[in-house]
């Protein structure tokens, strides 16, 4: 399995060394982790510890407090461009952004930066933000977190149809919504069957507590995925994320 959405921020790094994180991945049967952090160096630290297993995203927040104000920080894009020069990065994010701020120039500059360097953008936002990213750079690859902010199969299907080659969606923190008693609801199963190569499974370890319960959350995910037909299971657990990050996995020493 590739867990396609993880955080290793300062509180988690105080609680768990890189070796302890790897032990948690092993215990849960997770081969690779797509991980971001605030501050951003922590994800790189994890990557250097286990380069074959970590897919690092450059977090743009110095601390979690920046979540609500980053898009108004005019100096941010230049700092991010400079940080990308140090270390190996598969993408940028997670960026939290909502429709009212979708037209901010700082967002536009980060989208252009990601596109120019063939980096994946992990976005936590509504459909308007995703549309804006593709209006700025149609070729950029986007990982849309948490089945979007309004997780409705019809809305997601429309977005996947509109962006057939560049949009991937992660299922993190939505297990109870899509599989409330452990079995995938029919409308979600139909959506995953219709788009077998576009969704990726993920935990989203946003807190120390979430890391403590990592294996249990992975088990919850496997519980609704494993009854699905084998190709769909493989896609959700591994193959779709491997395709999303194929450039990094083929040549991690970037730029
Ligand atoms: Zn997250």
């Amino acid at each position: 399995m590739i867990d396609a959405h993880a955080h290793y921020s300062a509180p988690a790094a105080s609680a768990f060394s890189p070796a302890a994180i790897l032990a948690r991945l092993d215990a849960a049967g997770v081969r690779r982790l797509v991980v971001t952090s605030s501050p951003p160096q922590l994800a790189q630290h994890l990557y250097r510890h286990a380069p074959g297993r970590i897919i690092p995203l450059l977090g743009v927040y110095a601390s979690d407090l920046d979540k609500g104000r980053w898009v108004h920080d005019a100096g941010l894009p230049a700092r991010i461009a400079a940080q990308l020069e140090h270390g190996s990065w598969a993408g940028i994010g997670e960026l939290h952004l909502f429709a009212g701020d979708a037209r901010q120039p700082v967002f536009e500059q980060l989208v252009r930066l990601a596109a120019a360097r063939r980096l994946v953008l992990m976005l936590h936002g509504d459909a308007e933000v995703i549309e804006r990213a593709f209006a700025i750079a149609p070729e950029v690859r986007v990982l849309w977190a948490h089945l979007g902010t309004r997780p409705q199969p019809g809305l997601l299907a429309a977005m996947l149809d509109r962006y057939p080659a560049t949009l991937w969606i992660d299922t993190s923190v939505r297990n109870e919504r899509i599989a409330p008693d452990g079995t995938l609801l029919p409308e979600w199963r139909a959506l995953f069957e219709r788009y077998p190569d576009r969704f990726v499974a993920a935990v989203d370890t946003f807190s120390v507590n979430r890391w403590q319960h990592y294996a249990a959350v992975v088990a919850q995910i496997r519980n609704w995925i494993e009854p699905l037909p084998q190709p769909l299971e493989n896609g959700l657990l591994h193959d779709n994320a491997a395709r999303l990050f194929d450039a990094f996995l083929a040549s991690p020493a970037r730029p």
Side-chain angles (χ1 to χ4, degrees):
M1 174 174 171
I2 299 175
D3 174 354
H5 182 145
H7 298 263
Y8 183 58
S9 290
S14 308
F16 299 107
S17 67
I21 294 292
L22 266 291
R24 298 195 94 69
L25 300 186
D26 288 342
V30 170
R31 173 72 194 146
R32 286 194 170 100
L33 187 70
V34 178
V35 61
T36 181
S37 65
S38 56
Q41 295 77 16
L42 291 171
Q44 199 63 205
H45 186 54
L46 204 53
Y47 172 72
R48 283 198 301 268
H49 182 83
R53 300 189 55 187
I54 301 297
I55 301 174
L57 307 186
L58 179 63
V60 309
Y61 311 148
S63 86
D64 286 341
L65 296 174
D66 291 337
K67 212 182 252 193
R69 60 190 183 197
W70 66 272
V71 83
H72 304 291
D73 176 1
L76 185 72
R79 291 204 306 279
I80 297 304
Q83 286 172 350
L84 286 170
E85 299 299 328
H86 301 281
S88 298
W89 298 104
I92 298 173
E94 171 180 23
L95 300 178
H96 296 77
L97 192 67
F98 303 95
D101 277 327
R103 295 193 164 265
Q104 291 289 342
V106 168
F107 179 56
E108 176 168 348
Q109 289 166 55
L110 288 184
V111 173
R112 291 194 192 287
L113 193 58
R117 294 173 182 247
R118 296 180 62 215
L119 296 167
V120 172
L121 262 186
M122 187 200 276
L123 298 179
H124 175 139
D126 29 41
E128 291 83 348
V129 169
I130 306 302
E131 289 167 351
R132 180 67 188 142
F134 289 127
I136 293 163
E139 73 280 21
V140 74
R141 285 187 175 191
V142 169
L143 176 56
W144 193 8
H146 320 307
L147 300 174
T149 50
R150 277 168 292 160
Q152 297 155 8
L155 171 72
L156 298 181
M159 292 295 281
L160 290 167
D161 287 340
R162 197 163 163 196
Y163 307 108
T166 46
L167 178 62
W168 279 253
I169 301 175
D170 87 51
T171 66
S172 62
V173 304
R174 299 299 194 189
N175 297 314
E176 262 112 39
R177 173 181 285 258
I178 65 179
D181 60 1
T183 304
L184 201 52
L185 292 172
E187 62 268 32
W188 287 101
R189 181 173 175 138
L191 182 71
F192 297 154
E193 285 177 337
R194 186 170 155 198
Y195 303 94
D197 49 8
R198 310 292 293 282
F199 290 91
V200 298
V203 171
D204 189 3
T205 45
F206 53 81
S207 66
V208 173
N209 182 61
R210 191 90 166 153
W211 272 117
Q212 271 153 354
H213 296 98
Y214 188 73
V217 182
V218 171
Q220 192 185 21
I221 292 167
R222 290 188 191 280
N223 191 52
W224 64 257
I225 289 183
E226 282 176 354
L228 297 171
Q230 193 73 50
L232 185 53
E233 176 190 342
N234 293 347
L236 284 160
L237 287 178
H238 181 276
D239 296 354
N240 300 345
R243 214 179 61 262
L244 170 59
F245 289 100
D246 56 8
F248 181 83
L249 293 172
S251 173
R254 306 166 115 240

